[in-house]
């Protein structure tokens, strides 16, 4: 408990700030929903993906909806960790499956905030860590962090897996990557980060072994800055290999199980996604979607906004590269961004799909950390209010598909 107390005290300002921002968002949602005669809690727990997760928790896999155009929406598209947790909470408490999903998301969002702080502090210092958490909290689609969706759970697992990689804790990194792979398809991004980091670690060890007097610093990859946390070179080798072996088991296990269940083999999960008209086309469909916005004047403004948004995402990634972000973060962010922007459907969901790519916020967090405290507070406070208003408006309207 003592070992946990010190890191928690360091993260306390970030976690308290995160809780304040999210509370503001929930209060705004409650007020807005009440004015429209809607239930804020229902909006958070019983719409869109949240319903699919609770059906999996209640009925298991096998439920599907056949649309008039022939499309088949199967609940096999939804990875199992969140429904498992919903079912577990329902089994040991009076909570419904929807209640369980809400509780998981609230707790996971705090764990995600803590993980983001840990990563950002490790790379840029405590002040930048606090700013990174606050920026993640005030994202325009930040209300999703409080919904019975899997984004918060996935971000928590991803952030702590990346932190474990950065500090040389390979078995922890691999285990968390396995769990992330059971949460969302983009769990492949965490696996990729662990594998790339592991390969670099082995290459660093190989280089060190050829030196006449290898030192502790040459025996560890450059992104492992917490030398006291890294085991001796020999121990690190087998732990790194085991962590790499464990990492893909979650995603691979579920995908192979879906293939077996559908009788379609290893690629059966792709057929399930095709039933939702979702896939990876390199961004061609998204480009057409943006282009179609310029066919009339009002929608052209939305098209400009989309182009600016994508440009900002790519610019932040380039800045992260130039600032020398650790390789595992760049790999993770690159895969998450590519999968989000190059998916062939659900264009309105792209801001939500990009939410786990929190390292994109690190350049902004670093700039905010270097500003005066009063100026940073005004910026974050203003954006938090705007985010709360937008989240309430968004969720009472079309919301996240």
């Amino acid at each position: 408990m003592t070992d946990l107390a010190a890191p928690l005290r360091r993260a306390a300002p970030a976690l308290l700030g995160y809780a304040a921002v999210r509370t503001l968002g929930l209060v705004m949602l409650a007020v807005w929903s009440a004015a429209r005669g809607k239930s804020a809690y229902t909006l958070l727990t019983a719409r869109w993906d949240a319903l699919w997760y609770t059906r999996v928790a209640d009925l298991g896999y096998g439920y599907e909806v056949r649309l008039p155009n022939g499309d088949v929406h199967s609940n096999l598209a939804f990875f199992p960790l969140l429904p498992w947790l919903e079912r577990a909470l329902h089994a040991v408490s009076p909570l419904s499956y929807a209640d369980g999903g809400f509780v998981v998301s609230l707790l996971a969002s705090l764990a995600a905030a803590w993980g983001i702080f840990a990563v950002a502090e490790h790379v840029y210092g405590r002040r930048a860590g606090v700013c990174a958490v606050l920026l993640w909290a005030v994202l325009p689609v930040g209300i999703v962090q409080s919904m019975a969706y899997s984004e918060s759970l996935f971000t928590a697992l991803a952030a702590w897996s990346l932190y474990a990689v950065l500090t040389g804790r390979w078995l922890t990194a691999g285990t968390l990557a396995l769990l992330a792979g059971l949460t969302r398809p983009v769990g492949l991004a965490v696996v990729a980060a662990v594998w790339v980091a592991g390969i670099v670690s082995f290459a660093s060890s190989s280089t060190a072994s050829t030196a006449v007097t290898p030192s502790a610093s040459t025996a560890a990859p450059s992104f492992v800055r917490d030398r006291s946390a890294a085991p001796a070179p020999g121990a690190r080798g087998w732990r790194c290999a085991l962590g790499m072996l464990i990492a893909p088991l979650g995603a691979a296990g579920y995908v192979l199980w879906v293939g077996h269940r559908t009788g379609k083999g290893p690629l059966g999960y792709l057929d399930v996604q095709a039933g939702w008209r979702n896939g990876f086309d390199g961004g061609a469909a998204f480009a057409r979607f943006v282009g179609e916005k310029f066919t009339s004047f009002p929608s052209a403004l939305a098209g400009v906004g989309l182009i600016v948004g994508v440009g900002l995402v790519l610019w932040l990634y380039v800045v992260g590269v130039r600032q020398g972000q650790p390789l595992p973060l760049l790999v993770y962010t690159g895969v998450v961004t590519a999968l989000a922007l190059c998916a062939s459907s659900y264009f309105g969901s792209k801001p939500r799909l990009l939410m786990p790519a929190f390292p994109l916020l690190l350049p902004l967090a670093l700039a905010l950390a270097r500003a005066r405290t009063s100026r940073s507070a005004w910026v974050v406070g203003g954006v938090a209010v705007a985010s709360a208003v937008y989240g309430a408006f968004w969720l009472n309207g079309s919301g996240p598909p």
Side-chain angles (χ1 to χ4, degrees), residues 69 79 88 99 103 110 147 153 365 370-371 398:
N69 65 356
F79 278 50
D99 296 335
V103 170
L110 288 171
M147 297 180 68
L153 179 60
R370 290 169 175 168
S398 60

Side-chain angles (χ1 to χ4, degrees), residues 181-206:
L182 286 171
T183 307
R184 296 186 63 82
V186 75
L188 294 174
V190 189
V191 176
V194 172
W195 269 73
V196 168
I199 292 170
V200 171
S201 179
F202 278 116
S204 299
S205 298
S206 176

Side-chain angles (χ1 to χ4, degrees), residues 289-309:
F289 173 78
V290 174
E292 290 169 357
K293 295 294 182 182
F294 290 93
T295 57
S296 62
F297 173 71
S299 64
L301 297 177
V304 172
L306 288 170
I307 293 174
V308 171

Side-chain angles (χ1 to χ4, degrees), residues 122-212:
H122 182 79
V123 178
Y124 293 124
R126 188 184 186 192
R127 187 177 173 89
V130 173
C131 291
V133 170
L134 294 177
L135 288 173
W136 192 66
V138 301
L139 289 174
V141 293
I143 191 65
V144 175
Q145 297 164 17
S146 302
M147 297 180 68
Y149 273 42
S150 61
E151 273 77 7
S152 290
L153 179 60
F154 174 79
T155 304
L157 294 168
W160 283 109
S161 180
L162 290 170
Y163 178 73
V165 167
L166 295 176
T167 54
R169 296 171 171 89
W170 297 105
L171 293 180
T172 300
T175 301
L176 293 173
L178 182 155
L179 294 173
L182 286 171
T183 307
R184 296 186 63 82
V186 75
L188 294 174
V190 189
V191 176
V194 172
W195 269 73
V196 168
I199 292 170
V200 171
S201 179
F202 278 116
S204 299
S205 298
S206 176
T207 301
S209 68
T210 62
V212 177

Side-chain angles (χ1 to χ4, degrees), residues 80-124:
L81 185 57
L82 178 57
W84 286 348
L85 294 175
E86 291 176 342
R87 184 179 296 176
L89 285 177
H90 175 70
V92 301
S93 73
L95 296 175
S96 68
Y97 297 117
D99 296 335
F102 183 66
V103 170
V104 168
S105 289
L106 287 184
L107 295 178
S109 67
L110 288 171
W114 193 358
I116 292 169
F117 170 81
V119 170
E121 182 197 33
H122 182 79
V123 178
Y124 293 124

Side-chain angles (χ1 to χ4, degrees), residues 62-395:
Y63 177 83
E64 61 183 30
V65 175
R66 294 183 176 273
L67 303 183
N69 65 356
D71 290 345
V72 177
H73 288 184
S74 168
N75 65 0
L76 290 169
F78 295 87
F79 278 50
L81 185 57
L82 178 57
W84 286 348
L85 294 175
E86 291 176 342
R87 184 179 296 176
L89 285 177
H90 175 70
V92 301
S93 73
L95 296 175
S96 68
Y97 297 117
D99 296 335
F102 183 66
V103 170
V104 168
S105 289
L106 287 184
L107 295 178
S109 67
L110 288 171
W114 193 358
I116 292 169
F117 170 81
V119 170
E121 182 197 33
H122 182 79
V123 178
Y124 293 124
R126 188 184 186 192
R127 187 177 173 89
V130 173
C131 291
V133 170
L134 294 177
L135 288 173
W136 192 66
V138 301
L139 289 174
V141 293
I143 191 65
V144 175
Q145 297 164 17
S146 302
M147 297 180 68
Y149 273 42
S150 61
E151 273 77 7
S152 290
L153 179 60
F154 174 79
T155 304
L157 294 168
W160 283 109
S161 180
L162 290 170
Y163 178 73
V165 167
L166 295 176
T167 54
R169 296 171 171 89
W170 297 105
L171 293 180
T172 300
T175 301
L176 293 173
L178 182 155
L179 294 173
L182 286 171
T183 307
R184 296 186 63 82
V186 75
L188 294 174
V190 189
V191 176
V194 172
W195 269 73
V196 168
I199 292 170
V200 171
S201 179
F202 278 116
S204 299
S205 298
S206 176
T207 301
S209 68
T210 62
V212 177
T213 56
S215 65
S217 61
T218 58
S222 60
F223 52 77
V224 179
R225 299 182 182 178
D226 186 357
R227 306 299 181 192
S228 62
R236 188 180 65 249
W238 74 261
R239 292 188 182 192
C240 178
L242 186 55
M244 293 174 67
L245 180 65
I246 292 171
L249 295 183
Y254 181 69
V255 168
L256 292 175
W257 178 81
V258 170
H260 174 73
R261 183 182 177 96
T262 60
K264 300 294 182 62
L267 301 181
Y269 183 77
L270 298 181
D271 288 338
V272 171
Q273 287 284 8
W276 287 79
R277 292 186 179 269
N278 200 16
F280 187 89
D281 66 356
F286 184 45
R288 288 195 298 271
F289 173 78
V290 174
E292 290 169 357
K293 295 294 182 182
F294 290 93
T295 57
S296 62
F297 173 71
S299 64
L301 297 177
V304 172
L306 288 170
I307 293 174
V308 171
V310 172
L312 177 61
V313 167
L314 298 179
W315 176 76
L316 288 173
Y317 186 80
V318 171
V319 173
V321 173
R322 290 178 174 174
Q323 290 179 344
Q325 280 187 22
L327 182 61
L329 298 188
L330 294 175
V331 170
Y332 167 78
T333 307
V335 175
V336 172
T337 302
L339 291 177
L341 295 182
C342 297
S344 60
S345 189
Y346 298 100
F347 306 115
S349 296
K350 293 194 182 296
R352 172 171 66 88
L353 299 178
L354 282 167
M355 193 167 60
F358 66 89
L360 287 172
L361 300 173
L362 294 185
L364 298 177
L366 188 58
L368 201 61
R370 290 169 175 168
R372 288 199 300 266
T373 301
S374 58
R375 179 176 298 178
S376 298
W378 277 107
V379 170
V380 171
V383 177
V385 171
S387 174
V389 172
Y390 179 76
F393 167 78
W394 187 49
L395 206 53

